[in-house]
C-alpha cells in the first residue's frame, strides 16, 4: 500500500482512535497519545493525515509560513505549550488552513472564535476555548516549523495524526500501514463479538472464560491476554 493522506483518511474512515491505540500495542508501536482533555470542536469531527507541525510564539505568522509547506490532506498540529492563559488559533487561521488544502487542526492549547468556527465546520481539536489571544511575542527557534512538542514526546512531518471524539494520537508514517491493518483486523473481530452479544451469546461464552479461570487456578501466571492470543480474540489484546 502506498500511503498518502487520501489512503490514510480512507483507511481511518471505518476505524477509531481506540482501535488505533489497540493496534499500536498489538504491533509494538510506541503509543503516543495527547494528554486527556483534548476534544473536537463539535462531536463527530474526525481527522487523519500527515502532521504539519508548528510551535506558536505569540504571532500568526508562524502558521502563514508553515502552511506554505502543506500537502493536500495534512493536519496542522500546533504546539502552544498547553497554555490556558491565551488562545492561539481562531477563525482566520482555520479559513487559511482550509484554503491551503489542510483537513484539520490539532492544538496543544486553546482556540477562540467558537461561533465562527462552528459555522465553518472545519475539524478543530483543542483543550477548550478562551477569549483572549496572546499578548506576548517570544523569540522564534529553529524547531518551530519542523516539530511540535507534547507531554513526553515530539511529533514531526514524518508522523501521522489520528483524532476523533475519544482523543488524539500519533503514529510514525513508516508504521502507519501495519497499524491500520491491525486496527482493521481488531475491528472485524470486535464487531463479530458485538453482534454475537446482541444475538444473546455473552462475551464470556465467546471467550470461553470459564476455561480461562480453570487454567488460571492451576497456573496463576496464566493471563487473559495469553488466553485470548491463543483464541485469536481482540479484547484486551
Amino acid at each position: 500500500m502506498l500511503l498518502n493522506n487520501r489512503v490514510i483518511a480512507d483507511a481511518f474512515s471505518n476505524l477509531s482512535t481506540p482501535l488505533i491505540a489497540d493496534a499500536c500495542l498489538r504491533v509494538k508501536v510506541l503509543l503516543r497519545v495527547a494528554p486527556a482533555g483534548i476534544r473536537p470542536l463539535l462531536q463527530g469531527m474526525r481527522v487523519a493525515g500527515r502532521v504539519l507541525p508548528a510551535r506558536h510564539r505569540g504571532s500568526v505568522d508562524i502558521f502563514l509560513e508553515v502552511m506554505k509547506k502543506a500537502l493536500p490532506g495534512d493536519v496542522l498540529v500546533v504546539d502552544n505549550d498547553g497554555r490556558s492563559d491565551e488562545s492561539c488559533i481562531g477563525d482566520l487561521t482555520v479559513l487559511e488552513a482550509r484554503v491551503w488544502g489542510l483537513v484539520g487542526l490539532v492544538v496543544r492549547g486553546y482556540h477562540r472564535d467558537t461561533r465562527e468556527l462552528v459555522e465553518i465546520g472545519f475539524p478543530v481539536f483543542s483543550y477548550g476555548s478562551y477569549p483572549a489571544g496572546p499578548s506576548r511575542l517570544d523569540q522564534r527557534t529553529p524547531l518551530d516549523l519542523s516539530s511540535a512538542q507534547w507531554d513526553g514526546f515530539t511529533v514531526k512531518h514524518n508522523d501521522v495524526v489520528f483524532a476523533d471524539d475519544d482523543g488524539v494520537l500519533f503514529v510514525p508514517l513508516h508504521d502507519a500501514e501495519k497499524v491500520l491493518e491491525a486496527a482493521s483486523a481488531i475491528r472485524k473481530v470486535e464487531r463479530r463479538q458485538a453482534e454475537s452479544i446482541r444475538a444473546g451469546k455473552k462475551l464470556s461464552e465467546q471467550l470461553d472464560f470459564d476455561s480461562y479461570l480453570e487454567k488460571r487456578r492451576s497456573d496463576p501466571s496464566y493471563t487473559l491476554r495469553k488466553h485470548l492470543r491463543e483464541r485469536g480474540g481482540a479484547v484486551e489484546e
Side-chain angles (χ1 to χ4, degrees), residues 10-93:
D10 286 348
F12 185 61
S13 63
N14 291 320
L15 301 174
S16 65
T17 54
L19 288 169
I20 296 293
D22 288 350
C24 286
L25 295 176
R26 174 168 289 190
V27 300
K28 295 179 171 51
V29 169
L30 180 65
L31 193 59
R32 293 181 296 165
V33 181
I38 194 165
R39 293 287 183 270
L41 181 70
L42 294 174
Q43 188 174 6
M45 284 181 166
R46 49 191 287 116
V47 72
R50 189 189 73 139
V51 168
L52 182 69
R55 300 191 186 206
H56 182 247
R57 299 301 177 189
S59 173
V60 72
D61 67 320
I62 191 76
F63 305 136
L64 301 180
E65 187 173 350
V66 78
M67 287 180 200
K68 291 181 176 292
K69 300 181 177 183
L71 296 176
D74 279 356
V75 179
L76 180 61
V77 176
V78 177
D79 173 7
N80 200 36
D81 295 324
R83 295 177 66 129
S84 60
D85 62 341
E86 66 180 31
S87 59
C88 63
I89 68 106
D91 62 333
L92 296 183
T93 300

Side-chain angles (χ1 to χ4, degrees), residues 66-142:
V66 78
M67 287 180 200
K68 291 181 176 292
K69 300 181 177 183
L71 296 176
D74 279 356
V75 179
L76 180 61
V77 176
V78 177
D79 173 7
N80 200 36
D81 295 324
R83 295 177 66 129
S84 60
D85 62 341
E86 66 180 31
S87 59
C88 63
I89 68 106
D91 62 333
L92 296 183
T93 300
V94 167
L95 287 169
E96 184 76 1
R98 188 170 66 178
V99 169
W100 280 98
L102 280 79
V103 295
L105 271 78
V106 172
V107 186
R108 186 182 170 222
Y110 285 64
H111 72 268
R112 65 176 179 174
D113 302 328
T114 300
R115 179 177 179 179
E116 290 82 357
L117 294 183
V118 169
E119 291 176 353
I120 295 167
F122 191 77
V124 172
F125 292 76
S126 81
Y127 284 91
S129 59
Y130 191 81
S135 57
R136 63 188 173 98
L137 187 57
D138 297 338
Q139 186 70 34
R140 292 268 296 267
T141 80

Side-chain angles (χ1 to χ4, degrees), residues 185-197:
I186 293 170
R187 179 182 182 275
K188 289 177 182 177
V189 172
E190 291 188 346
R191 289 311 91 207
R192 288 199 301 268
Q193 291 170 336
E195 289 299 321
S196 293
I197 294 173

